[in-house]
Amino acid sequence: MTDVPAPSLAIGIGSSPAERRQLAQLLGGTEAFLIVSSAEQARKFLDAAAAGPAAMVAPPVETVIDATVSDDDRPPATLRIDSDRRVLHWLDREIELTPLEHDVLLCLVGAPGQVWTYERLHVEVWGNQHLGRGSHMHSVVRRVRRKLARLDATATIQAVRGVGFRLAAA
């Protein structure tokens, strides 16, 4: 019986989208690579890989938006994005997202309170630096705001005039 060498896997950790893009370029010649945003995500992946294929389902991205949904002792309300189904969850409700809505909201949810410039958001979501008048970006944000309102979420997307957008607790 001959030993078959296990395939090698390079894991890169980049906390920002720009770092992850740079890692993808650096690791592009590697047979297999995984890029994550934290050491914790890498550990979860490795634990799931050790557990077998059934455990290899990626968890939805989530972030805590408001720690005081009510006056009682309930846990904090969480705004979650299920990227596999392209669904936004708030408390016990959910709403479907278009691909553009998903990508814009994923950027904003990943860094609540942080301002995403129009340029940076355009590169991340549309994949290029063309801004034009930016009406397409404002249209997507307007649709996401309506969906957040339909869910009665306490989060909102704020416009920072002349700069960009940020996700904030209402």
Side-chain angles (χ1 to χ4, degrees), residues 16-36:
S16 72
E19 288 175 342
R20 290 190 291 275
R21 273 195 307 278
Q22 186 176 14
L23 280 169
Q25 290 173 345
L26 292 171
L27 296 172
T30 309
E31 185 175 321
F33 63 91
L34 170 70
I35 299 174
V36 295

Side-chain angles (χ1 to χ4, degrees), residues 122-139:
H122 204 278
V123 167
E124 287 299 314
V125 176
W126 282 267
N128 60 44
Q129 294 183 349
H130 172 73
L131 279 176
R133 291 182 20 234
S135 58
H136 60 289
M137 189 179 305
H138 288 276
S139 175

Side-chain angles (χ1 to χ4, degrees), residues 22 53 57 73 77 92 95-96 99 104 107 119 132 137 144 151 157:
Q22 186 176 14
V57 177
D73 292 327
D92 61 344
I95 196 163
E96 290 183 15
V104 167
C107 290
E119 294 84 6
M137 189 179 305
V144 172
L151 292 174
I157 299 175

